[in-house]
Amino acid sequence: MVEDTGEEVITEIQSVEECLSHAQGLVPLALDAAKAVKGFPGRWKMIISKLEQIPSHLSDLSSHPCFSKNALCKEQLQAVSNTLKEAIELSDLCNSEKYEGKLRMQSDLDRLSGKLDLNLRDCELLIKTGMLGEATLPLAAAGSSTELEASIHGNTRELLARLQIGHLEAKHKALDSLVEVMKEDEKTVLAVLGRCNIAALVQLLTATSPRIREKTVSVICSLAESGRCENWLVSEGVLPPLIRLVESGSTLGREKATISLQRLSMTTETARAIVGHGGVRPLIEICRTGDSVSQAAAACALKNISVVPEVRQNLAEEGVVKVMINLLDCGILLGSKEYAAECLQNLTASNDNLRRIVISEGGIRSLLTYLDGPLPQESAVAALRNLVTSVSIEMLASLGFLPRLVHVLKSGSSGAQQAAASAICRVCSSTEMKKWVGEAGCIPLLVKLLEAKSNGVREVSAQAISSLVTLSQNCREVKKNEKSVPNLVQLLDPSPQNTAKKYAVSCLASLSSSKKCKKLMISYGAIGYLKKLTEMDIPGAKKLLERLERGKLRSLLSRK
């Protein structure tokens, strides 16, 4: 009889005030029934203590200014009433001892206790988090564009609030709606998103339902890619569940989780945290076995992590070098290859042990082969620059190192050309190396690069030439090039932006043994530049100036 009456009352209720009155009326009935139960005393004592808290929570809820305006209040009151009704029903069963079995009743009582916890927590959330303050204006009632926008924002806030209250299935429905809203209007969701909403989403990542985890990680992936929620996501503990999804989620779940980690790993602090939470191994496994999108995202995440010097050894111990070299050779997407080259560049930047590992795993051959493809060359050339001092000239020659470097100097991007010129600086550590580089045809290309727009390219080109001209046959080739002296004199410019001037002085000093070159230097205004550089204490400037001025004086005397 109680069941029929209760169902009819809840179904017929229309206003939130009536819902409140109904819930308040059920509280004493539930308490009296619970206190009359003789069996299961421990469980009923706990249930009674929770029932006694409900009146104060209902009072707090009803005293809120937006109590009658927010649909969440009505739903919450109905949920409380249903729980109270269930408490009365279980009390009757315990008193009559007509339940199916002791274990079954214990389970039902535990479930009731959990529902009461949920009801109390949700009431507190509605009040403390400001959800009730987000009273919504129905779309149909919104007149002006401002009202319509406010209504859309309010409805979105309500939807986000539903992720925090109610049972799991209710949150699942809210999640479905949120996915649809984000497809149509992601900006609105981002505009009203709060930290508590992020926390609710992160909790759903650990739900027992694979479907809920999959939908949740899709939403979190969108939030991470938006670039507006990274700090909240990380501070609310998103990394461990994302890493677990990369390890054992569904195909879509692993992909979205990997993309999320790719985006979040762009900050140094988060990159360190991913390593600390054991994220490297699952990402490496995705590089080995994942589909094309997941593989590229994992490679990018590892590349981002490799930027942090102190974690590079950890990466190597997990086997990242071999995996990146394999991606260079046979990555599914071109992006995977590019990320692998960048990762190897970072790994070999300052660690001799990692350089040896890359070389022993055949990294130089793979990097050189990569240069033959259509992808950006800068990172691969930079990685090679880091490695060249650790291998013999014979090995470099057998792998076709210089011909590929010449190709980059001719037609590579500005960054690739700078890295190539820097590689030449490093490789010219012996007379044999300098001779090899000069005979490969690098000198005319380096002279041409002295005219580059990029200051970095001009600087390393001048540095490479200053090293090469210490060998007489290279010096003769530089002297023969009609652009050498004009380009080098231009690099005597004393402005702070010009970082190539000290190398230009060194090159011109080597060329000044030639009368023809000295005349050219003087005619292009080298003396004026050198006077300023002498005042700036640029090494070699004073000595070169004196040499040119003596030559100028002899020339004047001979004409007289």
Side-chain angles (χ1 to χ4, degrees):
M1 213 41 203
V2 176
E3 288 184 20
D4 294 340
T5 306
E7 284 297 334
E8 287 173 10
V9 173
I10 293 176
T11 304
E12 291 171 1
I13 288 173
Q14 295 298 319
S15 70
V16 68
E17 288 80 7
E18 289 173 313
C19 281
L20 174 65
S21 177
H22 181 69
Q24 287 173 329
L26 286 174
V27 173
L29 296 176
L31 270 171
D32 290 343
K35 290 175 181 178
V37 178
K38 303 299 181 185
F40 309 100
R43 283 178 167 80
W44 278 109
K45 185 178 180 181
M46 186 178 294
I47 289 169
I48 289 168
S49 70
K50 294 173 184 177
L51 288 170
E52 288 172 341
Q53 297 175 48
I54 289 179
S56 63
H57 283 70
L58 295 181
S59 176
D60 291 341
L61 203 60
S62 61
S63 62
H64 195 282
C66 298
F67 170 68
S68 60
K69 300 176 184 178
N70 198 303
L72 293 173
C73 280
K74 183 175 179 180
E75 294 177 17
Q76 182 58 28
L77 290 169
Q78 288 176 340
V80 171
S81 293
N82 287 331
T83 304
L84 291 169
K85 187 165 70 70
E86 186 175 338
I88 295 169
E89 292 169 355
L90 287 175
S91 300
D92 291 343
L93 281 174
C94 282
N95 278 328
S96 64
E97 297 186 356
K98 292 181 179 179
Y99 46 84
E100 294 182 10
K102 189 175 180 179
L103 291 177
R104 172 68 181 271
M105 178 52 68
Q106 287 175 341
S107 176
D108 289 344
L109 291 176
D110 290 340
R111 186 164 51 85
L112 172 62
S113 185
K115 283 187 178 181
L116 286 167
D117 283 334
L118 183 63
N119 291 155
L120 293 170
R121 185 187 70 87
D122 287 352
C123 284
E124 290 175 357
L125 279 172
L126 284 171
I127 298 162
K128 293 180 180 178
T129 61
M131 291 183 201
L132 290 184
E134 308 293 357
T136 61
L137 179 67
L139 288 173
S144 66
S145 59
T146 304
E147 288 178 329
L148 181 61
E149 184 179 349
S151 177
I152 293 171
H153 280 209
N155 287 325
T156 305
R157 286 189 181 98
E158 182 181 305
L159 181 60
L160 289 167
R162 292 180 185 279
L163 295 175
Q164 300 176 63
I165 63 172
H167 52 78
L168 192 59
E169 192 56 38
K171 292 177 181 178
H172 190 188
K173 290 178 181 177
L175 191 60
D176 284 337
S177 300
L178 182 61
V179 170
E180 294 305 314
V181 170
M182 289 192 73
K183 286 178 183 176
E184 297 174 7
D185 190 3
E186 186 176 300
K187 288 183 179 178
T188 297
V189 176
L190 292 171
V192 300
L193 196 69
R195 184 165 187 158
C196 53
N197 308 129
I198 296 287
L201 281 167
V202 171
Q203 288 179 359
L204 288 176
L205 277 179
T206 58
T208 53
S209 166
R211 289 187 304 132
I212 293 179
R213 292 199 301 268
E214 191 173 282
K215 289 173 185 174
T216 303
V217 77
S218 295
V219 173
I220 284 177
C221 184
S222 297
L223 298 180
E225 289 186 304
S226 73
R228 294 174 59 177
C229 309
E230 299 103 314
N231 291 336
W232 280 350
L233 285 166
V234 174
S235 63
E236 290 300 330
V238 78
L239 295 180
L242 283 178
I243 291 168
R244 300 294 83 77
L245 279 173
V246 172
E247 285 179 318
S248 57
S250 64
T251 301
L252 179 61
R254 293 175 78 187
E255 177 185 307
K256 295 297 183 182
T258 306
I259 294 172
S260 300
L261 290 176
Q262 172 194 350
R263 185 63 182 78
L264 294 172
S265 62
M266 292 175 69
T267 65
T268 301
E269 295 78 9
T270 306
R272 288 195 192 98
I274 290 172
V275 176
H277 287 296
V280 171
R281 187 169 296 177
L283 288 170
I284 286 177
E285 189 60 28
I286 290 287
C287 286
R288 289 195 184 105
T289 62
D291 58 37
S292 57
V293 175
S294 298
Q295 185 186 78
C300 185
L302 290 167
K303 180 264 296 184
N304 292 341
I305 294 169
S306 70
V307 171
V308 185
E310 62 266 29
V311 303
R312 289 171 185 161
Q313 191 61 44
N314 297 75
L315 290 172
E317 290 168 1
E318 295 289 354
V320 75
V321 171
K322 191 170 185 177
V323 167
M324 290 300 135
I325 291 172
N326 185 60
L327 284 181
L328 277 181
D329 295 333
C330 51
I332 301 172
L333 293 180
L334 294 180
S336 300
K337 294 173 178 279
E338 187 178 352
Y339 295 137
E342 291 180 63
C343 187
L344 290 173
Q345 177 193 351
N346 295 333
L347 292 171
T348 57
S350 58
N351 190 312
D352 287 335
N353 180 50
L354 292 180
R355 289 172 186 158
R356 286 191 290 271
I357 294 173
V358 172
I359 292 167
S360 66
E361 293 288 353
I364 291 182
R365 184 186 300 278
S366 295
L367 287 164
L368 288 169
T369 303
Y370 172 90
L371 291 181
D372 296 333
L375 290 166
Q377 300 170 320
E378 181 176 345
S379 295
V381 179
L384 288 166
R385 175 200 61 202
N386 297 339
L387 297 169
V388 288
T389 55
S390 302
V391 293
S392 66
I393 185 173
E394 291 78 17
M395 180 179 179
L396 292 174
S398 67
L399 294 173
F401 172 73
L402 272 181
R404 288 184 172 96
L405 217 59
V406 167
H407 175 70
V408 173
L409 290 172
K410 282 181 180 177
S411 55
S413 65
S414 176
Q417 288 175 331
Q418 182 174 338
S422 181
I424 289 173
C425 293
R426 293 197 180 188
V427 84
C428 291
S429 56
S430 66
T431 300
E432 186 182 12
M433 287 285 197
K434 291 173 185 177
K435 182 180 178 182
W436 182 45
V437 171
E439 291 173 348
C442 292
I443 289 175
L445 299 171
L446 290 169
V447 170
K448 187 177 180 181
L449 288 179
L450 297 175
E451 304 169 353
K453 292 181 180 180
S454 165
N455 180 61
V457 175
R458 294 195 301 269
E459 180 184 0
V460 293
S461 298
Q463 183 183 2
I465 293 171
S466 70
S467 177
L468 287 166
V469 293
T470 57
L471 187 67
S472 58
Q473 66 186 62
N474 290 339
C475 189
R476 287 194 295 271
E477 186 172 350
V478 175
K479 288 175 183 177
K480 286 190 293 183
N481 193 309
E482 60 183 19
K483 288 189 174 183
S484 297
V485 172
N487 288 351
L488 288 166
V489 170
Q490 286 298 309
L491 293 184
L492 295 176
D493 178 5
S495 67
Q497 293 78 18
N498 175 29
T499 54
K501 45 186 174 281
K502 64 178 180 179
Y503 299 115
V505 170
S506 175
C507 291
L508 290 169
S510 297
L511 301 180
S512 63
S513 58
S514 162
K515 290 182 179 179
K516 179 183 176 182
C517 288
K518 277 196 289 188
K519 287 180 181 179
L520 283 172
M521 293 177 206
I522 294 167
S523 67
Y524 280 103
I527 288 177
Y529 283 133
L530 287 168
K531 286 179 179 178
K532 293 179 181 178
L533 295 182
T534 299
E535 294 172 2
M536 296 168 65
D537 289 329
I538 298 298
K542 183 178 181 181
K543 188 174 181 180
L544 178 58
L545 175 62
E546 291 171 351
R547 188 177 296 178
L548 294 183
E549 285 182 327
R550 282 199 303 271
K552 186 177 181 182
L553 180 60
R554 289 195 194 97
S555 178
L556 287 170
L557 291 173
S558 64
R559 281 203 294 269
K560 287 180 180 181

